[in-house]
Structure formats: C-alpha cells, structure tokens
Amino acid sequence: MTDAPMTAQAATTATAGDILSSHLTAQAGAFLRALPLAVGEAGARPGAAPSAGTADLLRAVRRIGGLLHTFGATFEQTWAQESRTELRWLLNLLALEPGYVRKAARLLGALDALSGSEADGPGMLAGHAGVPKARALLDRQLTLARTRAHTTVLQELRSARLHALADRMTLLVAEAPLLDAAEGRAGAVLLPQAAAAFTALTASARQLPLHRASTPYGGDGLRRLGAVPQARGAVDADAALAADDAPWLRVRILVKRARYALEVCGRPAHELDELDGVLGRHQEASDAAVTAATAARTPRITPATAYVLGVVHADQRLEVEAARYAFGHRWPELPPGLDAWLEIPPAEGWGPTPAPRMA
Amino acid sequence: MTDAPMTAQAATTATAGDILSSHLTAQAGAFLRALPLAVGEAGARPGAAPSAGTADLLRAVRRIGGLLHTFGATFEQTWAQESRTELRWLLNLLALEPGYVRKAARLLGALDALSGSEADGPGMLAGHAGVPKARALLDRQLTLARTRAHTTVLQELRSARLHALADRMTLLVAEAPLLDAAEGRAGAVLLPQAAAAFTALTASARQLPLHRASTPYGGDGLRRLGAVPQARGAVDADAALAADDAPWLRVRILVKRARYALEVCGRPAHELDELDGVLGRHQEASDAAVTAATAARTPRITPATAYVLGVVHADQRLEVEAARYAFGHRWPELPPGLDAWLEIPPAEGWGPTPAPRMA
C-alpha cells in the first residue's frame, strides 16, 4: 500500500494515468502477494477462521474493483468490465466463509447476551429451556454451511478462472490498459469521476428514511417496513425485510466506492470508514436475522426452540434499527459532496494513502 | 374536582386542615357519585370495556390514597392507615379488568403492527403462519382472565367490605379526622410533607440506571438486566425481568404521589403528568411482555406460534426500553426538588386544581 509514495512535488505535476497506475500497481502487487497465502490457508485449515491472507486479498480485490468502477472512463472499457466481473466473482467467493464465521459469532453471541451467561447480568432468555437447543441448532446449521462454503472455495481457488484473474493482475502490475484521457492532469481527469461517486452516494442516501431512522425506537427494523414501496407491496416478511434493507445495503456499496475514491485522491476518509463500519453492522444484523428466521422454520423443532429463535430474530432486527439510527445521526454531519472533502489538502499529494484502518 | 374553589385571599389565611378537608370532601364526593355508576356498569356489561364510572372511581381512590399517604402526619394515624389499606384493596380490584382490556389491546395491536395489517407497511411477521394462531391464543387467554376478573369484581362490589369503605367516604365528606397539627398555616404544615414526597421520588429516581437508559438501543430491556443487584442474581428470566423492572414501577408510584401533592398545593403538575404517562407505558409493556412469555409456555402450541410469541415478547421488552429512554431524557430537565416547583405561584391559591388531564 505504501510502496509507491509520491512527493508533493511529483503530485502536482502527475497525470491521471500516473496516479491510477501507481494505485493499481500497489494493489495488484498486494493481490499477488496475498493470493498464495490465502490458498495455503484455505487448504490447511478446514473450518478454522479465515486469517490474514484472505483478509489482505479481499482488501486488494475491493480496492481494484472500486477503482475500475469509479475511474472507469479512463480505462479500456471491455478490459475494465471483464476485470470487474472477475473481481466480483472472487470477492463473493472469498467473502462466503468469513461471512458464516461472523454470522455464527454474532448469533451465538446474541444468544449468550440474551440468556445472560455474560458479565452484564441475565437477559430476557435467562434459564430458558429453548436456549441450548436453539444454540445447538444454529451452530449445526452454520457449521454445515461454512463447511460447504469451504469446499467450494477450495475448489475454485484451484480453478482456471482464478489463474486467469491472477494473470490479469500480473499484467496490471506492469501496465494498466489506459485510454488517452489518462494523459490529462490528475485533478482535471480524476476529480469529476470521484465527484460522480459522491453524487451517487448522496443521491442514494437521500432516498433513505433518515429522518425516521434518526428517531430512536421508531420500530423501523421490526414493525414499519413501509419506507420502500417494494417493501410495502411485499407479500411475506422475508420479501418485505429484504426490500426494506436493500437501499441500505446499496448505500454501503456506494460508501465503499467513495472511500476508495478518496484514497486515490490522497484524502483522509475516516468519516467514510466509520459509516462503512455502521452499515457493515447493519448488513450483518440483517443477514443474521434472516438466518434466525430460517432456522425457526426447521421441521420438528420444539416450541421452546422456536420461541428463542423468535426473540433472537427480533433482537437482530433491533440491531438493524440501531445501525440505521447510528447512520442517521452521523450522515447529516457529513459534507454533502466531494467539494467539502477536497478542501482538506492531501496528506501526501495524489497517490496511495497510508494503509487504511479497515477493510 | 372544582366544586370547592378558593379565592387567593382565602388561600393565604387557610389552615392545613382547611386545605386537606376541602380536597378530601371533593374527592370523597367524587367517589360516592362514581361508585353506583361503576357498580351499575359492572353489572350491565359482562366483558365490555370499563367506562366513565370506573375511571372516575379509580381517579378519586388514587387521590384520596395519595393524600392520606403524603400528608399522613396530619391525620389520626390508625384511621389513615386503615383507610389507605381499604383504598388500595379497591384500587387493585378496580384496576384488574381495565388492565386486561389494555393488555389485550396492546398485545393484539403489537401483533397487527408486526404482521403488517396496518397502514405503515408490513412488519417482520408479515404472512407468518404463526400469527393467527398466536393472536387466537392471546385473545383466548386474555378474555378468560378478564371474565374471571369481572366475576371477582362483581362479587366484591356487593361485599360488606365495599359498603364499609363507602361509609368511611361518607364520613369523610362531613369531617376528616384531623390532628391538632392541622390547625397550623397551610404553608408551614403541608409544604414539608409535600417536600418529603419529592425527596422520596428524587432519591428513587437517582437509583435508576438513567445514564444507560438515555443511550438509545443500549439493550436495557432485552439483554442487560444487571442494573439491579437482585436482577443480577436471578436464576431465571422471569425473576430477572421482574427485579429489573421493579425500581421503575416504584418510581411511578412516587411520581403519582408527587403529582397529587402538587395538586393539593395548587401547582401545575404537567411535567409529572407526562412522566407518569411514560412510566405507565413502561409498566404496560412490562406486563404485556410477561403475558407473551407465559403464553409461549402453553403446552402443545406449534413452533410457529411459539416463534411469533418470542418476537412479540422481544417487541414488548423493546417498548420497555423505549419508555426508559423517554424517561431518562425527560427526567434531568426537571427540577430536582419541590422548591423549584413551588417557585411557580399557585393558580388558584391552595386548594383543588382544575381537573387534571389524566388519571
């Protein structure tokens, strides 16, 4: 990440192509260093928590994909499109197993907090007969899903598709297929494209029911899922919940793109880091809620187990609501567009920023 | 309530006994007017919602009881104690049936909101197979409980015990058994006793986890019931929840006493009205949560029914948490003792205030 620092001098005279190439070289290098580690880890640890190699690989994949999307006009179109498709495939693949690990930690942690084996005192499920049964059910289902995901990942990590993507990244370290437009000055070429990423984010965030979400205990996560027309017309709870959460998940993608665009512009992105974190919590709680609801439909479970899963489902929807509240309170403090962000002078000029705190 | 207005002139020269007698006469009169209505209503409507007569009776009972408690030092001790015991008996009796009516409205309303038959769009239980079953179960259990309560109330309203209490109230209209102390000036005798009611309220409220409650989504109602030592040591959820809610229910009683003391002092009590309302919501949600949890333990229910009741239980505990949040946000704005309340000059001097907005 920091292997291509640029002086302020170089930064002011740099072309858009210089900046993008420098970023892509750094990230593609990180990709190629992390890939064998991730493959080795996947082979060595059936069932263990995914570790550094996979995390580094995910970080590089997200940044390259974001860069190719936001500054897409500067690249050869077909190549950029194909690269993004392949990167998204790898992203989904790699995110699968860590997703189940986090989901298990969240759901079993919620059960522990609700039943009160933690230091803060008992919860509303303390001593309930359904707790150990629900815990065993969730643990079994999530372990099974994770094992299946692991097998898929192992298979795909040996596939020709991954080898082709690695070759693509090797070429990228040497030279990115830039268009003539990339020869323009960095500020003139890149700023309008970065600004478009912020415009998309602001427009999407404006569609969120932020006013309602910033009122605590508004019942957003549990009761009133009617903010989105699709949710209002949904026939069942699964569809309504999915439609209600969708715009928030979309905003998270746009926050990430804006973050990576700021990194390319050499600006600090702490506020966006935090928003990304809040929306990450939203997404994990939303996913965990679906898992609890699905587990409650397992045939032949006891009423006590189902009751506990109902409490866990509501608890996770409450977490969804809490994350929306946190987002609603942070968002209006942020400048509405890129301009305000750019008022902060770049720390190192254009070029890669120091390694961010979060993936 | 307003049948004994006093001029400001009379107020400044009034003795404590004048003030208390005037209040007690008015409230005992209201009691005696409402009693036959309440008895008639109870006989005429098996299962109908309790109406004006019962509500008026409850209002008078609460105020006489509160007055006898707060200004107890001014009355003949044995008589005041006995009267309070009998009034509390009637209060519990009368509150029984309206309690079940409100509980049914709250729980079935919550189910409707959660399943989304309301205008705000679907909820997280929309279309769930367990909803109609859980609705029928709650409806059946609460109707049965209400019918039983009704039978008890009908019986007791014809009892010798109630006749004796009515006689006691008739005597009160004529003359309250006051001690010599009541001959002192109103301000000198009543203010210290009213101040003690506020001191008790402030001391109890200070024991509440207000700091935590004023942080939204802190998990107070669902997860962390450890604010009270009794809750931390509880062996099961029912005991833990009851211990966790107890100090809040206690503060509600003290808020009511302080309200009625302010009324005797002729001061507006709007802030206390609101706090009483917030804590009333707390209590109703807490009671409803217990009902949902108990219903979920009904033998031979389906897992789908139990799951829905788990969601409703969590939803009501969330309402408990929301009420604590609302209280925590209002409380610090209030003056800590009676002094600040008394800075507001009495509207009508000492004496009954205009009819309050709430029971």
Side-chain angles (χ1 to χ4, degrees), chain B residues 175-231:
Chain B
E175 197 183 359
L178 292 159
L179 298 180
D180 291 350
E183 283 165 32
R185 291 283 288 275
V189 176
L190 300 184
L191 283 189
Q193 298 184 64
F198 273 84
T199 306
L201 169 59
T202 313
S204 274
R206 203 173 288 137
Q207 302 293 315
L208 297 174
L210 287 181
H211 173 71
R212 211 176 60 173
S214 65
T215 307
Y217 303 107
D220 263 37
L222 284 72
R223 290 173 165 218
R224 281 176 286 282
L225 307 173
V228 182
Q230 289 87 327

Side-chain angles (χ1 to χ4, degrees), chain A residues 109-110 113-114 119-128 212-213 215-218 221-227 231-232 234-237 240-241 292-293 296-297 301-304 306-307 309-311 313-319 321-322 325, chain B residues 109-110 113-114 119-128 212-213 215-218 221-227 231-232 234-237 240-241 292-293 296-297 301-304 306-307 309-311 313-319 321-322 325:
Chain A
L114 285 166
D120 278 328
M124 61 175 284
L125 291 176
H128 197 282
R212 212 177 60 171
T215 308
Y217 304 107
L222 284 73
R223 291 174 165 218
R224 282 175 286 281
L225 308 173
R232 220 171 295 143
V235 288
D236 66 22
L241 290 165
R297 287 193 286 262
I301 57 173
T302 67
Y307 167 80
L309 290 170
V311 172
H313 188 189
D315 176 73
Q316 290 304 304
R317 290 306 302 173
L318 176 59
E319 293 273 301
E321 189 174 309
Y325 171 81
Chain B
L114 286 166
D120 278 329
M124 60 176 284
L125 292 175
H128 197 281
R212 211 176 60 173
T215 307
Y217 303 107
L222 284 72
R223 290 173 165 218
R224 281 176 286 282
L225 307 173
R232 219 170 295 141
V235 288
D236 67 21
L241 290 165
R297 286 193 286 262
I301 58 173
T302 67
Y307 167 80
L309 290 170
V311 172
H313 187 190
D315 177 72
Q316 290 304 306
R317 290 306 302 174
L318 177 58
E319 292 273 302
E321 189 174 310
Y325 172 80

